[in-house]
């Protein structure tokens, strides 16, 4: 298959699938090895950027997807119903951060870190599609394990969890002492 046909096939696959498609599956479909396919995908991504198109190709953990560029959101809502806008409160961000950095993690582990019940926050994050159930822990009660989704990566503009900022251990200790002081102050009141 010639280069132009392979690129056209990739666009057809990504446009039709809607969601991210693994590089291996694309490679099999266009009859090319995975490293060459990923190189081709990255070249296409660069061309989309250079040509300033309304769509872009993004990479999400070795999977690829076509999607609309953020700067065209306002134009899109003029003809389409306004998509649900995710509002992440401090509680949701805190819970999401714990899940992102500790995954797979149980609700009990999340609550232990936060110091409060987290049912509502976890359920809301699942509803927003930022978090999903990954299975069950092999322990008494078989608690659910939670982790982040491709939508999480897309929402925060990262290709993989490895791109998340590294947390400084000193900051963690500072946060811990601040939280303990806060709890002590609330107990005195």
């Amino acid at each position: 298959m010639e280069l132009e046909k392979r690129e056209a096939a990739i666009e057809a696959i990504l446009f039709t699938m809607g969601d991210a498609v693994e590089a291996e599956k694309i490679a099999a479909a266009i009859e090319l090895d995975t490293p060459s396919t990923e190189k081709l995908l990255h070249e296409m991504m660069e061309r989309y950027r250079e040509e300033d198109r309304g769509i872009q190709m993004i990479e999400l953990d070795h999977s690829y997807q076509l999607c609309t560029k953020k700067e065209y959101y306002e134009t899109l809502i003029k003809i389409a119903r306004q998509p649900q806008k995710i509002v992440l409160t401090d509680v949701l961000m805190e819970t999401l951060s714990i899940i992102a950095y500790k995954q797979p993690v149980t609700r009990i582990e999340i609550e232990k870190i936060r110091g409060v019940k987290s049912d509502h926050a976890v359920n809301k994050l699942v509803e927003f599609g930022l978090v999903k159930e990954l299975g069950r822990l092999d322990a008494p009660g078989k608690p659910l394990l939670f982790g982040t989704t491709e939508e999480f990566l897309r929402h925060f503009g990262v290709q993989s969890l490895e791109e998340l900022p590294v947390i400084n251990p000193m900051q963690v200790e500072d946060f811990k002492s601040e939280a303990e002081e806060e709890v002590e102050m609330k107990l005195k009141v």
Side-chain angles (χ1 to χ4, degrees):
M1 190 184 288
E2 62 190 61
L3 180 65
E4 291 81 21
K5 293 269 189 212
R6 282 193 167 116
E7 288 183 351
I10 289 170
E11 285 179 328
I13 291 166
L14 297 181
F15 178 78
T16 303
M17 297 308 291
D19 290 325
V21 180
E22 294 95 3
E24 296 81 24
K25 288 184 179 179
I26 296 170
I30 65 169
E31 300 170 349
L32 195 63
D33 62 276
T34 303
S36 299
T37 300
E38 286 198 289
K39 183 177 184 284
L40 180 58
L41 285 159
H42 284 271
E43 289 169 1
M44 291 175 70
M45 289 168 69
E46 188 57 36
R47 270 201 319 278
Y48 275 97
R49 264 192 297 275
E50 289 171 359
E51 295 173 6
D52 198 27
R53 297 180 180 198
I55 58 173
Q56 62 184 343
M57 188 182 297
I58 60 171
E59 181 181 356
L60 303 166
D61 207 13
H62 299 290
S63 295
Y64 297 83
Q65 181 177 11
L66 281 177
C67 61
T68 307
K69 288 185 178 174
K70 290 176 190 166
E71 55 263 33
Y72 296 103
Y73 175 80
E74 293 299 322
T75 306
L76 286 174
I77 62 173
K78 291 177 183 174
I79 61 165
R81 288 186 322 157
Q82 189 166 351
Q84 177 185 8
K85 188 156 179 124
I86 296 175
V87 177
L88 295 175
T89 62
D90 290 344
V91 169
L92 292 178
M93 281 298 291
E94 180 180 284
T95 306
L96 185 57
S97 298
I98 293 167
I99 295 169
Y101 283 97
K102 294 283 191 180
Q103 64 185 306
V105 63
T106 65
R107 198 181 307 254
I108 292 166
E109 291 172 305
I110 296 166
E111 291 172 356
K112 191 175 180 183
I113 294 167
R114 290 194 63 230
V116 294
K117 295 284 280 169
S118 299
D119 293 349
H120 177 74
V122 172
N123 291 341
K124 206 69 174 153
L125 292 168
V126 169
E127 180 185 320
F128 287 154
L130 299 172
V131 168
K132 67 180 176 183
E133 295 175 4
L134 298 177
R136 293 191 175 270
L137 183 64
D138 189 17
K142 302 273 189 203
L144 287 170
L145 290 167
F146 294 94
T148 56
T149 63
E150 279 185 356
E151 184 58 34
F152 167 83
L153 298 175
R154 200 175 295 112
H155 189 83
F156 289 96
V158 293
Q159 292 181 11
S160 68
L161 296 173
E162 287 78 37
E163 288 186 23
L164 292 177
V166 178
I167 300 175
N168 178 339
M170 292 299 290
Q171 279 183 309
V172 172
E173 287 306 313
D174 290 345
F175 293 148
K176 211 183 240 184
S177 27
E178 284 177 26
E180 288 169 359
E181 287 173 20
E182 212 173 289
V183 168
E184 284 178 28
M185 288 174 59
K186 286 181 181 178
L187 291 175
K188 289 179 184 176
V189 175

